[in-house]
Structure formats: structure tokens, C-alpha cells
Amino acid sequence: MRRNAIEWGVLGASIAVILALVVFIAVDGLLNPEEQAELGVSALPARVVGETFVVPIEVKNEGDGPAENVDVEEVLLDGETEVDTGSVTLPFLAAHSEIEAAAVFAEDPRRHRVEARVLGYEIP
Amino acid sequence: MPDAGKTSADSLREFLRGAGGGLLFGTPLLFTMEMWWHGFLMPWWKILLLLAVTAAFVWIYTRVGGFRRGEATIDQAIDVTIGFGIGVVVATAMLFVLGQISPGDPGREIAGKIALETIPVAMGVSVARVQLGARRHRDEHEEPGPLGQALVAAGGAMLFAFNVAPTEEPMLLGIENEWWRILLLLVLMVPVAAILVFFADFQGGHGTRRAAGEGRSPLSTPLGESVVSVVAALTVSAALLWFFGRIGIDTGVKDAVHQVVTLGFVATLGSSAARLLV
């Protein structure tokens, strides 16, 4: 069947983008067979929002695998005593990605030490 | 695609029609968050397998359906390749516009999302290019045999059920519903398929003469064809649910069957619609 230059051009471009996509996914998958999430969380400076206090957190996944239903807890500590706790659940966290979230407190976090930690997550 | 002597303008129009069809069919899933999530949750080999299976279905649908029967295999393969190429470009552009991929995102996440969203878009591209154009290429006198009909029905089931399979609803409906509702859904499938293809008088329907089954094999009677449609739909549903991680070897038989039947009802509409088109 006779094809014109545009059709050959589109065919060439199609082969290029499909190959690029397939090769990338295959190579990435083969080079990272043990895909596991590596989660870390850090609390950012607190903000006052209306009559509540918000402590933003940055949850990072530095692993090669995703995590699902990530439970993160933030605790306000006065010495070793827990003053208040807040939590947030992230539905998904892709590999090598980060999400900003926040927990809300009634107590002023600026008067206490803030600790944030990942409580658990599902492995998809 | 191109007939001998097709001009560049004709080709451009055909590609634009393909891109438009891709958007038409792909947009519901481009706006579905589970599809974005599956882009990085689905194992890499499942994504590639799903791409390959879809490419095979698109090729079968156009070839067995009779739309490209006169063309050489290499030309059909070229058309499927171009359909997926347009699909990749359209899916990438739309994911970027919708803010679901950005330059700083992890490569695997970007690639996974593009690959998954390419599937419905590419199916839409192919349907638009062979069936929604000003001229249909199909030889109207040829009709696929029983195996061809089953494959075309499976292609239609794939096209339609793919819109629902990635979402949580088939799983929730399947798990939460009582057994008798699932049974009712299953029992409804055959008459729904028969009504759509034989009795509702849709354009492309097989009409009352075919409904009478004159001079046909048992598989070409309304009951036979409808059963084939339903079996194809259930098979495709099971495969899609497995691809999207809803069922597996560790899933209870009851939960798996309920989910397959639930999604199977959606797929039956697709498999029947495909029979209308061919």
C-alpha cells in the first residue's frame, strides 16, 4: 500500500514514542526488582489558622516501590509527656515522590517539641 | 488506513480524527484518579502485558471485524502502531494539562501513567479511524465466523469495561452485594445481549430474520450469539480485574466470582455493541 510522507513520519514518531515508553518501563522494572517503599517524614514550622494550629509535614518516599494508605502521626511533646496528637492518612505515595500534608492541633505547637512519624502503610 | 493515492490532507484529517476519537474514548479515564494511581501501583510487567494485549485486541477488532480485511498484515500492524503512537501523544498531553504529570515527577510514575492512559486513548483512536470516518472500509458482505465473532465481542467488552475496571466500584459492588443480586445480574446478561443485538432494532442490529436463526449454526442464533457475548465479557472482566489487582490466586472464590459478574455486566454491553458494529 502506498503511503505518503506524513504517514511515514507519523509511523516513525509512533515507533519512537512507543519504544521509549516500553523500554523505559521494562529497564526500570528489571533494574529495580525488589521495589520497596522507604518512607521518611519531617515536620515543618507550625502555622496559625483561625483558632487552630496547623503543623505541615513533608512525607518522602525515597524507595523504588509505592506505599498505600500511609498513616502519619504528629505528636506534641512537653519533655517526654504527650500533650496532643494529630494524624493524617495519605491514600498513595509513589516511588521517589513526596507529599505535603498537615495535622491540626488545638494546642499551640510552637510551645512544644513536634515529632512526626510514619505509623504504617499498605504494600500494594 | 490510507488507500493508494491518499493525499497528505486526507492523512492529516485521518490522524486528527484518530486523536479526536482518542480523546472521546479516553477522557473518562483521563479524569479517573484510580487510573493515575494504577500508573505507579501496577507492576511494570503487568502494564507492558496490558499494552500488548490491548494492541492485539485492536488488531483483531479491525481485522476480524472486517474493517481492514483487504489490507496486508504489515499495513494493519502499521495502523495499530500509529494508533498507539497517537495514543501516547494524546495521553501525555492531557495528563500534563491536567497536572497529573510534571517535569519533576519520578520517571516511573510518569511512564506508568502515560502507558496506562494510552490504552483507552489508543482504542478510541482505532475505533475513530476505522469506524467514525466519512467512509467505512469494511466489506459489508463479509461476516466473521463464530471464533471471529467471539474475538470481536471480547474486543468490545475490553473497550467498554476498561472504563470501569480500574475503579473501586466493581470490587465494592461485587463484595457487598448479596448472592441473589449477583445471580440476577448474571441472568440478565443473556437477554440484554440478545435485545441489543437482535431485537432493539439498533442500526447494525441483526434483525428478526437473524433472530429466527434461519439457516445458521447454533452459535449464530440469538441465544448462541448472546451466550458467546456473555462468555467473552466474563472472560475479559476476569482478565481486567486481575490486571488491576482486584482478584488473584489469594482472592476468595465467592468474592472473585461476584466481581467478575458485576464487571461482566458492563462488559456485556460492550461485547453486544461490538456485534452491532460488525
Side-chain angles (χ1 to χ4, degrees):
Chain A
M1 178 176 295
R2 208 150 54 89
R3 292 177 186 270
N4 57 45
I6 287 182
E7 287 164 349
W8 286 118
V10 172
L11 174 64
S14 296
I15 291 172
V17 294
I18 293 167
L19 269 184
L21 192 62
V22 168
V23 168
F24 179 87
I25 291 174
V27 169
D28 181 78
L30 289 170
L31 291 182
N32 303 296
E34 294 292 324
E35 294 184 340
Q36 285 190 343
E38 289 175 31
L39 303 184
V41 56
S42 52
L44 303 173
R47 294 195 302 256
V48 181
V49 179
E51 298 194 349
T52 59
F53 301 94
V54 172
V55 180
I57 45 169
E58 200 174 65
V59 188
K60 272 189 185 174
N61 180 5
E62 292 177 338
D64 295 320
E68 200 172 342
N69 291 324
V70 182
D71 276 330
V72 182
E73 184 186 57
E74 283 186 78
V75 187
L76 303 188
L77 294 166
D78 193 356
E80 293 301 313
T81 311
E82 283 189 13
V83 177
D84 200 356
T85 59
S87 67
V88 62
T89 302
L90 310 172
F92 291 104
L93 200 55
H96 299 288
S97 69
E98 60 183 61
I99 287 182
E100 206 169 298
V104 181
F105 296 94
E107 285 284 326
D108 187 348
R110 293 170 296 186
R111 295 181 191 162
H112 306 283
R113 186 159 53 91
V114 180
E115 276 191 4
R117 61 193 175 116
V118 175
L119 290 180
Y121 60 90
E122 286 178 33
I123 301 167
Chain B
M1 134 187 100
D3 300 317
K6 180 177 276 190
T7 66
S8 298
D10 289 338
S11 300
L12 269 179
R13 260 193 300 275
E14 191 175 306
F15 295 140
L16 285 175
R17 186 170 73 242
L23 271 179
L24 204 62
F25 280 81
T27 296
L29 286 175
L30 284 161
F31 279 73
T32 301
M33 61 183 178
E34 286 94 337
M35 278 291 277
W36 314 329
W37 294 342
H38 282 299
F40 56 81
L41 291 176
M42 189 180 281
W44 67 274
W45 57 272
K46 266 193 179 179
I47 293 180
L48 296 186
L49 185 61
L50 191 52
L51 272 173
V53 167
T54 314
F57 266 115
V58 168
W59 178 68
I60 287 167
Y61 186 73
T62 52
R63 182 189 176 98
V64 180
F67 298 106
R68 296 290 163 83
R69 192 166 283 173
E71 291 183 4
T73 302
I74 182 69
D75 285 313
Q76 293 169 345
I78 285 174
D79 283 348
V80 172
T81 306
I82 288 176
F84 272 76
I86 294 173
V88 171
V89 173
V90 170
T92 305
M94 283 306 297
L95 283 169
F96 179 74
V97 170
L98 294 171
Q100 292 309 310
I101 54 171
S102 298
D105 292 347
R108 168 64 176 80
E109 183 181 342
I110 294 176
K113 284 178 178 174
I114 293 173
L116 266 194
E117 293 287 7
T118 291
I119 291 170
V121 176
M123 288 195 282
V125 171
S126 296
V127 169
R129 291 177 68 211
V130 299
Q131 289 188 274
L132 302 182
R135 284 177 303 130
R136 285 175 56 161
H137 297 262
R138 183 177 174 233
D139 178 353
E140 298 289 349
H141 300 291
E142 285 193 67
E143 192 156 297
L147 179 62
Q149 287 177 13
L151 289 171
V152 167
M158 180 96 173
L159 181 66
F160 209 68
F162 205 93
N163 282 290
V164 180
T167 66
E168 286 193 4
E169 280 75 3
M171 185 178 69
L172 293 177
L173 290 170
I175 290 173
E176 289 176 0
N177 270 333
E178 301 92 333
W179 66 269
W180 58 270
R181 288 188 205 273
I182 301 295
L183 185 64
L184 197 59
L185 211 50
L186 184 63
V187 169
L188 276 175
M189 285 183 198
V190 172
V192 164
I195 287 168
L196 280 175
V197 179
F198 290 96
F199 301 109
D201 206 24
F202 282 110
Q203 187 172 2
H206 296 168
T208 49
R209 197 183 84 76
R210 285 285 306 278
E214 291 172 21
R216 301 256 169 200
S217 73
L219 283 180
S220 297
T221 61
L223 179 64
E225 267 200 51
S226 303
V227 167
V228 168
S229 272
V230 169
V231 170
L234 290 172
T235 307
V236 167
S237 297
L240 285 176
L241 287 166
W242 174 76
F243 270 114
F244 286 103
R246 305 297 190 201
I247 60 172
I249 48 171
D250 51 350
T251 311
V253 175
K254 180 187 154 195
D255 284 348
V257 169
H258 280 205
Q259 290 183 63
V260 169
V261 172
T262 305
L263 184 61
F265 186 80
V266 181
T268 298
L269 300 178
S271 63
S272 304
R275 295 291 301 119
L276 286 177
L277 293 172
V278 301

PDB file of all heavy atoms in Angstrom, chain A residues 30-50:
ATOM      1  N   LEU A  30      13.241  -4.031  35.511  1.00  0.00           N
ATOM      2  CA  LEU A  30      14.260  -5.073  35.638  1.00  0.00           C
ATOM      3  C   LEU A  30      15.405  -4.645  36.561  1.00  0.00           C
ATOM      4  O   LEU A  30      15.982  -5.469  37.270  1.00  0.00           O
ATOM      5  CB  LEU A  30      14.817  -5.428  34.246  1.00  0.00           C
ATOM      6  CG  LEU A  30      13.836  -6.187  33.340  1.00  0.00           C
ATOM      7  CD1 LEU A  30      14.369  -6.274  31.908  1.00  0.00           C
ATOM      8  CD2 LEU A  30      13.575  -7.590  33.876  1.00  0.00           C
ATOM      9  N   LEU A  31      15.713  -3.361  36.543  1.00  0.00           N
ATOM     10  CA  LEU A  31      16.812  -2.875  37.388  1.00  0.00           C
ATOM     11  C   LEU A  31      16.394  -2.716  38.844  1.00  0.00           C
ATOM     12  O   LEU A  31      17.236  -2.648  39.722  1.00  0.00           O
ATOM     13  CB  LEU A  31      17.333  -1.529  36.858  1.00  0.00           C
ATOM     14  CG  LEU A  31      18.075  -1.571  35.521  1.00  0.00           C
ATOM     15  CD1 LEU A  31      18.564  -0.179  35.141  1.00  0.00           C
ATOM     16  CD2 LEU A  31      19.248  -2.552  35.576  1.00  0.00           C
ATOM     17  N   ASN A  32      15.096  -2.627  39.093  1.00  0.00           N
ATOM     18  CA  ASN A  32      14.605  -2.458  40.464  1.00  0.00           C
ATOM     19  C   ASN A  32      13.603  -3.556  40.810  1.00  0.00           C
ATOM     20  O   ASN A  32      12.431  -3.288  41.027  1.00  0.00           O
ATOM     21  CB  ASN A  32      13.936  -1.081  40.626  1.00  0.00           C
ATOM     22  CG  ASN A  32      14.876   0.049  40.260  1.00  0.00           C
ATOM     23  OD1 ASN A  32      15.885   0.265  40.893  1.00  0.00           O
ATOM     24  ND2 ASN A  32      14.529   0.773  39.211  1.00  0.00           N
ATOM     25  N   PRO A  33      14.082  -4.819  40.850  1.00  0.00           N
ATOM     26  CA  PRO A  33      13.141  -5.929  41.063  1.00  0.00           C
ATOM     27  C   PRO A  33      12.527  -5.922  42.459  1.00  0.00           C
ATOM     28  O   PRO A  33      11.396  -6.298  42.635  1.00  0.00           O
ATOM     29  CB  PRO A  33      13.999  -7.180  40.834  1.00  0.00           C
ATOM     30  CG  PRO A  33      15.403  -6.726  41.057  1.00  0.00           C
ATOM     31  CD  PRO A  33      15.461  -5.269  40.744  1.00  0.00           C
ATOM     32  N   GLU A  34      13.301  -5.528  43.476  1.00  0.00           N
ATOM     33  CA  GLU A  34      12.783  -5.507  44.848  1.00  0.00           C
ATOM     34  C   GLU A  34      12.254  -4.113  45.146  1.00  0.00           C
ATOM     35  O   GLU A  34      12.925  -3.298  45.772  1.00  0.00           O
ATOM     36  CB  GLU A  34      13.894  -5.874  45.836  1.00  0.00           C
ATOM     37  CG  GLU A  34      14.392  -7.303  45.706  1.00  0.00           C
ATOM     38  CD  GLU A  34      13.363  -8.333  46.110  1.00  0.00           C
ATOM     39  OE1 GLU A  34      12.606  -8.058  47.046  1.00  0.00           O
ATOM     40  OE2 GLU A  34      13.306  -9.393  45.469  1.00  0.00           O
ATOM     41  N   GLU A  35      11.066  -3.843  44.693  1.00  0.00           N
ATOM     42  CA  GLU A  35      10.530  -2.498  44.879  1.00  0.00           C
ATOM     43  C   GLU A  35       9.956  -2.341  46.275  1.00  0.00           C
ATOM     44  O   GLU A  35       8.960  -2.975  46.616  1.00  0.00           O
ATOM     45  CB  GLU A  35       9.468  -2.215  43.816  1.00  0.00           C
ATOM     46  CG  GLU A  35      10.042  -2.162  42.418  1.00  0.00           C
ATOM     47  CD  GLU A  35       9.011  -1.790  41.386  1.00  0.00           C
ATOM     48  OE1 GLU A  35       7.805  -1.940  41.670  1.00  0.00           O
ATOM     49  OE2 GLU A  35       9.407  -1.355  40.298  1.00  0.00           O
ATOM     50  N   GLN A  36      10.594  -1.525  47.086  1.00  0.00           N
ATOM     51  CA  GLN A  36      10.101  -1.292  48.443  1.00  0.00           C
ATOM     52  C   GLN A  36      10.051   0.195  48.712  1.00  0.00           C
ATOM     53  O   GLN A  36      10.892   0.952  48.239  1.00  0.00           O
ATOM     54  CB  GLN A  36      11.039  -1.961  49.446  1.00  0.00           C
ATOM     55  CG  GLN A  36      10.862  -3.469  49.484  1.00  0.00           C
ATOM     56  CD  GLN A  36      11.612  -4.097  50.635  1.00  0.00           C
ATOM     57  OE1 GLN A  36      12.494  -3.479  51.219  1.00  0.00           O
ATOM     58  NE2 GLN A  36      11.264  -5.325  50.952  1.00  0.00           N
ATOM     59  N   ALA A  37       9.053   0.575  49.467  1.00  0.00           N
ATOM     60  CA  ALA A  37       8.941   1.979  49.847  1.00  0.00           C
ATOM     61  C   ALA A  37       9.916   2.275  50.991  1.00  0.00           C
ATOM     62  O   ALA A  37      10.178   1.413  51.828  1.00  0.00           O
ATOM     63  CB  ALA A  37       7.512   2.276  50.277  1.00  0.00           C
ATOM     64  N   GLU A  38      10.481   3.461  50.999  1.00  0.00           N
ATOM     65  CA  GLU A  38      11.320   3.924  52.116  1.00  0.00           C
ATOM     66  C   GLU A  38      10.781   5.290  52.527  1.00  0.00           C
ATOM     67  O   GLU A  38      11.047   6.288  51.866  1.00  0.00           O
ATOM     68  CB  GLU A  38      12.779   4.060  51.682  1.00  0.00           C
ATOM     69  CG  GLU A  38      13.481   2.728  51.449  1.00  0.00           C
ATOM     70  CD  GLU A  38      14.889   2.940  50.916  1.00  0.00           C
ATOM     71  OE1 GLU A  38      15.519   3.960  51.254  1.00  0.00           O
ATOM     72  OE2 GLU A  38      15.328   2.076  50.113  1.00  0.00           O
ATOM     73  N   LEU A  39      10.003   5.275  53.592  1.00  0.00           N
ATOM     74  CA  LEU A  39       9.285   6.500  53.949  1.00  0.00           C
ATOM     75  C   LEU A  39      10.000   7.290  55.039  1.00  0.00           C
ATOM     76  O   LEU A  39      10.557   6.719  55.983  1.00  0.00           O
ATOM     77  CB  LEU A  39       7.871   6.155  54.422  1.00  0.00           C
ATOM     78  CG  LEU A  39       7.010   5.369  53.436  1.00  0.00           C
ATOM     79  CD1 LEU A  39       5.604   5.189  53.998  1.00  0.00           C
ATOM     80  CD2 LEU A  39       6.932   6.082  52.099  1.00  0.00           C
ATOM     81  N   GLY A  40       9.984   8.581  54.875  1.00  0.00           N
ATOM     82  CA  GLY A  40      10.523   9.476  55.895  1.00  0.00           C
ATOM     83  C   GLY A  40       9.592  10.668  56.025  1.00  0.00           C
ATOM     84  O   GLY A  40       8.912  11.041  55.073  1.00  0.00           O
ATOM     85  N   VAL A  41       9.533  11.229  57.220  1.00  0.00           N
ATOM     86  CA  VAL A  41       8.626  12.352  57.414  1.00  0.00           C
ATOM     87  C   VAL A  41       9.324  13.430  58.241  1.00  0.00           C
ATOM     88  O   VAL A  41      10.095  13.125  59.156  1.00  0.00           O
ATOM     89  CB  VAL A  41       7.311  11.886  58.098  1.00  0.00           C
ATOM     90  CG1 VAL A  41       7.577  11.186  59.399  1.00  0.00           C
ATOM     91  CG2 VAL A  41       6.360  13.038  58.308  1.00  0.00           C
ATOM     92  N   SER A  42       9.100  14.681  57.871  1.00  0.00           N
ATOM     93  CA  SER A  42       9.670  15.775  58.669  1.00  0.00           C
ATOM     94  C   SER A  42       8.613  16.857  58.866  1.00  0.00           C
ATOM     95  O   SER A  42       7.826  17.152  57.959  1.00  0.00           O
ATOM     96  CB  SER A  42      10.903  16.348  57.971  1.00  0.00           C
ATOM     97  OG  SER A  42      10.602  16.672  56.640  1.00  0.00           O
ATOM     98  N   ALA A  43       8.594  17.405  60.070  1.00  0.00           N
ATOM     99  CA  ALA A  43       7.619  18.455  60.390  1.00  0.00           C
ATOM    100  C   ALA A  43       8.180  19.816  59.984  1.00  0.00           C
ATOM    101  O   ALA A  43       9.370  20.083  60.142  1.00  0.00           O
ATOM    102  CB  ALA A  43       7.308  18.431  61.880  1.00  0.00           C
ATOM    103  N   LEU A  44       7.308  20.639  59.444  1.00  0.00           N
ATOM    104  CA  LEU A  44       7.696  21.987  59.024  1.00  0.00           C
ATOM    105  C   LEU A  44       7.171  22.984  60.071  1.00  0.00           C
ATOM    106  O   LEU A  44       6.374  22.608  60.947  1.00  0.00           O
ATOM    107  CB  LEU A  44       7.097  22.282  57.637  1.00  0.00           C
ATOM    108  CG  LEU A  44       7.493  21.275  56.542  1.00  0.00           C
ATOM    109  CD1 LEU A  44       6.729  21.552  55.250  1.00  0.00           C
ATOM    110  CD2 LEU A  44       8.988  21.334  56.285  1.00  0.00           C
ATOM    111  N   PRO A  45       7.599  24.249  60.011  1.00  0.00           N
ATOM    112  CA  PRO A  45       7.152  25.222  61.018  1.00  0.00           C
ATOM    113  C   PRO A  45       5.628  25.340  61.079  1.00  0.00           C
ATOM    114  O   PRO A  45       4.945  25.347  60.055  1.00  0.00           O
ATOM    115  CB  PRO A  45       7.780  26.528  60.524  1.00  0.00           C
ATOM    116  CG  PRO A  45       8.966  26.102  59.735  1.00  0.00           C
ATOM    117  CD  PRO A  45       8.593  24.820  59.084  1.00  0.00           C
ATOM    118  N   ALA A  46       5.132  25.435  62.312  1.00  0.00           N
ATOM    119  CA  ALA A  46       3.680  25.494  62.526  1.00  0.00           C
ATOM    120  C   ALA A  46       3.096  26.825  62.049  1.00  0.00           C
ATOM    121  O   ALA A  46       3.795  27.841  61.989  1.00  0.00           O
ATOM    122  CB  ALA A  46       3.388  25.301  64.008  1.00  0.00           C
ATOM    123  N   ARG A  47       1.813  26.773  61.687  1.00  0.00           N
ATOM    124  CA  ARG A  47       1.111  27.997  61.275  1.00  0.00           C
ATOM    125  C   ARG A  47      -0.172  28.110  62.103  1.00  0.00           C
ATOM    126  O   ARG A  47      -0.740  27.099  62.529  1.00  0.00           O
ATOM    127  CB  ARG A  47       0.719  27.907  59.792  1.00  0.00           C
ATOM    128  CG  ARG A  47       1.882  27.893  58.835  1.00  0.00           C
ATOM    129  CD  ARG A  47       1.377  28.171  57.415  1.00  0.00           C
ATOM    130  NE  ARG A  47       0.388  27.214  56.969  1.00  0.00           N
ATOM    131  CZ  ARG A  47       0.634  26.236  56.108  1.00  0.00           C
ATOM    132  NH1 ARG A  47       1.840  26.090  55.610  1.00  0.00           N
ATOM    133  NH2 ARG A  47      -0.322  25.430  55.721  1.00  0.00           N
ATOM    134  N   VAL A  48      -0.603  29.337  62.292  1.00  0.00           N
ATOM    135  CA  VAL A  48      -1.877  29.550  62.983  1.00  0.00           C
ATOM    136  C   VAL A  48      -2.946  29.757  61.913  1.00  0.00           C
ATOM    137  O   VAL A  48      -2.800  30.601  61.035  1.00  0.00           O
ATOM    138  CB  VAL A  48      -1.823  30.801  63.888  1.00  0.00           C
ATOM    139  CG1 VAL A  48      -3.154  30.985  64.606  1.00  0.00           C
ATOM    140  CG2 VAL A  48      -0.673  30.675  64.875  1.00  0.00           C
ATOM    141  N   VAL A  49      -3.981  28.938  61.983  1.00  0.00           N
ATOM    142  CA  VAL A  49      -5.084  29.071  61.027  1.00  0.00           C
ATOM    143  C   VAL A  49      -6.366  29.223  61.832  1.00  0.00           C
ATOM    144  O   VAL A  49      -6.861  28.251  62.410  1.00  0.00           O
ATOM    145  CB  VAL A  49      -5.175  27.843  60.089  1.00  0.00           C
ATOM    146  CG1 VAL A  49      -6.342  28.001  59.116  1.00  0.00           C
ATOM    147  CG2 VAL A  49      -3.883  27.648  59.330  1.00  0.00           C
ATOM    148  N   GLY A  50      -6.892  30.442  61.868  1.00  0.00           N
ATOM    149  CA  GLY A  50      -8.082  30.713  62.674  1.00  0.00           C
ATOM    150  C   GLY A  50      -7.764  30.449  64.136  1.00  0.00           C
ATOM    151  O   GLY A  50      -6.800  30.994  64.680  1.00  0.00           O
TER     152      GLY A  50
END
